[in-house]
Amino acid sequence: MPYLSKIRINPCRPGALRLLGNPYKMHGAVQAGFPDTVDERVLWRLDADDPHRPHLLVLTERSRPDWSHLAEQAGWPTADGEHFHVRDYTPLLQRLAAGQEYAFRLKANPVQNTKHPDKLTSVQEARAKAAEQSGSRIRGFRIGHRTAKAQLGWLLKRCQNPAIGFDIPTVAPEPAPAPGLDLPHDTSPAPAVALTERDTVRYRKKNNGTQLTLSTATFEGRLRVTDPEALRRTLLGGLGPSKAYGCGLLTLAPLDPEQAHG
C-alpha cells in the first residue's frame, strides 16, 4: 500500500538546519523512518512556501513509515497539533482517469547528457582523466540545465513521452494591453505551467568529502491525464534524476476555479 507523508519542520532547530541545507543528510533522515532497509523507491520533497514553516513530503510505495525521530530532532515535539501525518495514497491513484485535469507541483533536477560540457566539475575531471589513462571511451556527462528556458523545455519535452501518462494543456494568452500603450503582446497559447523556483545546492556527503552540486527547478501548473496506469507509475516512481536527493516527486491537487477555466 502506498503512503504519502507530510512532516512539519522547525527551521530554528539545529537538527533541522543540518538537514535543510544538505539533501544527502535529509535522505538519511528519510531512510531512518523505516525499521528495516527498504527495497522500494522512496521519494521526498521539501516544500518551503513559508520558509518559517517548511514541510517535508515523502511518498513510499509499500512501507508505512514512522517520523517520530524527525519530530523530535527537527520539529516541535512538545507543541500542540499534528507533527506529521501519514495517509493512504491508494484512493488518489484509483481515481485517476483519462481526460481528468489536476493542479500539480514537481521539484526536478533538469539535466542533459553531453560529451563536451563547457566546464567539468572536479568529479567529472577525475572521471575523464581515468578514462584517458585507461584508453576507454568517455561516456557522456550529465550536466544540469542552467537557464529557466532550458529547464522548462526539459519538462515540456518529457511530457511528449506517452510513458509518463500526462500532458500539459495550453491556455489562452493574457488579455491585450490597453490601446495606446504600445506594448508587445503574444497571442499564441502557452503551456499551463510556470517555473516557480530555481535553486542550486552545494553539499558534501562527508565532512571532508568532495563538494557536490544539485540544480533544481520547481514547476507548478495544470496537467491532463492521458494514461492513468502510466501516470500511477510516474507518481510512484518519480520523474527525472536525483530522486534520492529530493527531486522527482510529482504531487496532484484539485484545480481551483480559476485554473479550471483557464
Side-chain angles (χ1 to χ4, degrees):
M1 180 184 296
Y3 296 95
L4 182 65
S5 304
K6 186 175 184 180
I7 306 107
R8 299 166 64 191
I9 303 295
N10 180 352
C12 295
R13 298 285 298 278
L17 293 174
R18 287 193 293 270
L19 300 177
L20 293 174
N22 190 315
Y24 179 74
K25 291 182 179 179
M26 183 67 85
H27 167 70
V30 169
Q31 293 298 110
F34 307 91
D36 302 306
T37 301
V38 291
D39 59 349
E40 63 187 88
R41 173 71 69 188
V42 177
L43 301 172
W44 62 271
R45 185 180 77 218
L46 187 67
D47 282 350
D49 303 53
D50 180 352
H52 303 291
R53 296 291 186 273
H55 288 87
L56 176 66
L57 297 180
V58 184
L59 178 61
T60 56
E61 189 171 356
R62 296 187 303 276
S63 303
R64 183 182 179 91
D66 176 26
W67 305 115
S68 301
H69 67 293
L70 273 174
E72 293 171 359
Q73 298 171 14
W76 287 269
T78 61
D80 291 337
E82 191 175 31
H83 304 295
F84 62 86
H85 57 252
V86 182
R87 300 288 186 261
D88 181 5
Y89 206 50
T90 305
L92 171 69
L93 298 178
Q94 292 179 337
R95 283 198 303 268
L96 297 176
Q100 290 177 336
E101 294 192 359
Y102 292 91
F104 78 89
R105 174 178 285 188
L106 168 70
K107 185 175 183 179
N109 173 218
V111 298
Q112 60 179 323
N113 290 316
T114 177
K115 292 185 177 180
H116 306 288
D118 295 333
K119 184 178 180 180
L120 295 175
T121 66
S122 58
V123 174
Q124 292 167 343
E125 286 179 350
R127 182 178 134 201
K129 185 176 181 180
E132 182 180 355
Q133 292 175 343
S134 65
S136 59
R137 181 192 301 181
I138 300 178
R139 295 179 298 166
F141 295 99
R142 179 179 285 181
I143 304 296
H145 285 296
R146 298 175 181 174
T147 67
K149 180 179 179 180
Q151 291 172 339
L152 187 58
W154 172 88
L155 176 61
L156 295 176
K157 185 176 180 180
R158 299 296 293 263
C159 292
Q160 296 173 6
N161 183 353
I164 70 171
F166 71 89
D167 62 18
I168 295 178
T170 56
V171 294
E174 295 293 327
L181 293 182
D182 194 26
L183 296 175
H185 181 59
D186 188 355
T187 60
S188 58
V193 59
L195 179 53
T196 59
E197 184 180 0
R198 305 172 65 222
D199 196 11
T200 300
V201 180
R202 294 176 175 83
Y203 64 99
R204 302 178 191 274
K205 291 186 177 181
K206 299 180 181 179
N207 291 336
N208 297 318
T210 302
Q211 180 173 272
L212 304 174
T213 301
L214 179 66
S215 297
T216 65
T218 300
F219 304 96
E220 296 183 42
R222 191 172 95 212
L223 63 76
R224 177 171 50 219
V225 182
T226 57
D227 184 333
E229 187 57 38
L231 180 53
R232 291 184 191 103
R233 291 193 295 268
T234 298
L235 291 171
L236 294 174
L239 191 62
S242 302
K243 297 181 179 71
Y245 303 116
C247 298
L249 176 57
L250 172 70
T251 52
L252 307 181
L255 291 171
D256 62 36
E258 183 175 341
Q259 287 178 302
H261 296 90

